[in-house]
């Protein structure tokens, strides 16, 4: 008679033992280990890849899916694929992803990752942008742009108009300083922001998302990529 236990007969990948957190796992070099790019994931990458072709007006996307369907893991893949250290991704996965977006080989986007919570979308984006720029421009004197963003973050709120202006200015700065060819803004758990906006319409208008998408689609050569997960 065999004395094997049930637990000895099953092996689970570590990625299935907890949910993906976009911001936390982006810093984890093993965050994409065990990730499988499905046919649906490939089709999403192909559609997003259209935005990287010359003169394309497709720069903003919304990905909608059920809870636990892998949206955050897909966002993690996309954020890593578009940054300069994409070579650290699992080799087979990187090869599959580059087949869908071959232009990514020669492009480097600075990732600004935002995880949804019950606060204004505009303020959350600017807070994340401030963290990214502080790390990106850690040397030398603080720029006028960084000082403006710092004041907004310290104030605790920002108007939609000012938030869009600061994001656009930051995108231009990233390109001009050759830190990247633009910003990739990825918003996860957008439903949390919509909940806040529904309960606090005087503090956040959901029209901001349309304005954000329009700014991205009109970004031209100063490419701004926006992806929302809902």
């Amino acid at each position: 008679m065999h004395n094997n236990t049930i637990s000895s007969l099953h092996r689970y990948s570590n990625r299935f033992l907890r949910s993906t957190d976009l911001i936390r796992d982006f810093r984890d070099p093993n965050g994409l280990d065990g990730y499988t790019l499905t046919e649906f994931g490939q089709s999403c990458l192909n559609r997003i890849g259209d935005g990287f072709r010359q003169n394309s007006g497709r720069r903003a996307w919304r990905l909608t899916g059920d809870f636990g369907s892998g949206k955050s893991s897909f966002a993690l893949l996309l954020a890593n694929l578009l940054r300069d250290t994409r070579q650290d991704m699992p080799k087979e996965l990187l090869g599959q992803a580059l087949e869908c977006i071959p232009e990514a080989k020669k492009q480097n986007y600075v990732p600004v990752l935002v995880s949804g919570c019950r606060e204004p979308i505009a303020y959350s984006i600017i807070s994340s942008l401030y963290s990214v720029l502080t790390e990106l421009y850690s040397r030398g004197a603080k720029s006028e742009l960084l000082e403006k963003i710092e004041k907004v973050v310290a104030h605790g709120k920002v108007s939609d108009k000012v938030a869009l202006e600061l994001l656009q200015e930051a995108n231009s700065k990233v390109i001009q300083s050759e830190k990247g060819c633009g910003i990739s803004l990825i918003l996860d758990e957008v439903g949390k922001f919509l909940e806040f906006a529904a309960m606090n319409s005087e503090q956040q208008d959901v029209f901001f998302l349309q304005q954000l998408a329009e700014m991205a689609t009109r970004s031209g050569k100063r490419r701004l990529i926006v992806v929302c997960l809902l």
Side-chain angles (χ1 to χ4, degrees):
M1 178 179 293
H2 295 289
N3 293 320
N4 291 339
T5 61
I6 292 177
S7 62
S8 69
L9 301 177
H10 295 273
R11 295 290 184 272
Y12 301 99
S13 170
N14 288 335
R15 72 174 300 102
F16 298 114
L17 298 180
R18 60 173 174 78
S19 61
T20 298
D21 182 290
L22 178 60
I23 296 175
R24 175 196 65 203
D25 293 334
F26 185 70
R27 297 288 185 180
D28 184 353
N30 301 313
L32 286 169
D33 286 354
Y35 180 82
T36 300
L37 184 60
T38 63
E39 289 186 9
F40 179 70
Q42 290 175 334
S43 69
C44 289
L45 284 180
N46 284 327
R47 275 183 262 176
I48 291 174
D50 289 341
F52 294 87
R53 296 186 174 88
Q54 191 173 9
N55 299 323
S56 174
R58 297 181 181 180
R59 302 282 169 78
W61 298 268
R62 183 198 68 235
L63 303 178
T64 306
D66 296 332
F67 289 108
S69 58
K71 300 183 300 300
S72 296
S73 294
F74 178 83
L76 182 63
L77 165 66
L78 184 63
N80 278 279
L81 178 64
L82 300 182
R83 66 172 176 166
D84 58 346
T85 55
R86 67 183 65 87
Q87 291 80 8
D88 296 336
M89 292 171 55
K91 300 302 180 185
E92 183 177 353
L93 179 60
L94 176 59
Q96 292 174 332
L98 286 176
E99 285 181 8
C100 301
I101 310 182
E103 291 84 359
K105 293 179 182 178
K106 300 179 181 180
Q107 298 178 4
N108 162 35
Y109 288 82
V110 173
V112 177
L113 310 180
V114 183
S115 187
C117 59
R118 288 189 175 181
E119 70 176 15
I121 313 171
Y123 179 76
S124 194
I125 289 174
I126 296 305
S127 295
S128 297
L129 180 64
Y130 176 68
S131 297
V132 171
L133 295 183
T134 299
E135 183 176 343
L136 198 62
Y137 299 101
S138 58
R139 298 181 179 180
K142 190 177 295 183
S143 68
E144 182 181 347
L145 171 62
L146 203 53
E147 288 182 346
K148 286 194 294 185
I149 296 177
E150 187 175 50
K151 288 180 180 177
V152 165
V153 173
H155 186 54
K157 61 181 180 180
V158 60
S159 69
D160 292 353
K161 181 177 182 293
V162 170
L164 292 170
E165 290 173 351
L166 290 175
L167 179 59
Q168 191 170 41
E169 191 175 342
N171 192 57
S172 297
K173 181 176 177 62
V174 164
I175 297 169
Q176 291 170 357
S177 62
E178 298 184 343
K179 294 290 186 178
C181 56
I183 285 175
S184 61
L185 174 62
I186 302 181
L187 307 172
D188 197 11
E189 303 289 355
V190 173
K192 291 294 183 183
F193 291 129
L194 298 183
E195 288 175 7
F196 178 87
M199 295 184 291
N200 303 273
S201 57
E202 74 286 352
Q203 296 185 51
Q204 180 65 72
D205 189 338
V206 293
F207 181 60
F208 173 78
L209 287 174
Q210 181 172 330
Q211 293 177 301
L212 182 62
E214 289 176 353
M215 189 173 77
T217 57
R218 295 170 182 167
S219 57
K221 294 182 179 180
R222 296 182 179 276
R223 296 180 180 179
L224 171 66
I225 303 297
V226 177
V227 179
C228 295
L229 294 101
L230 188 63

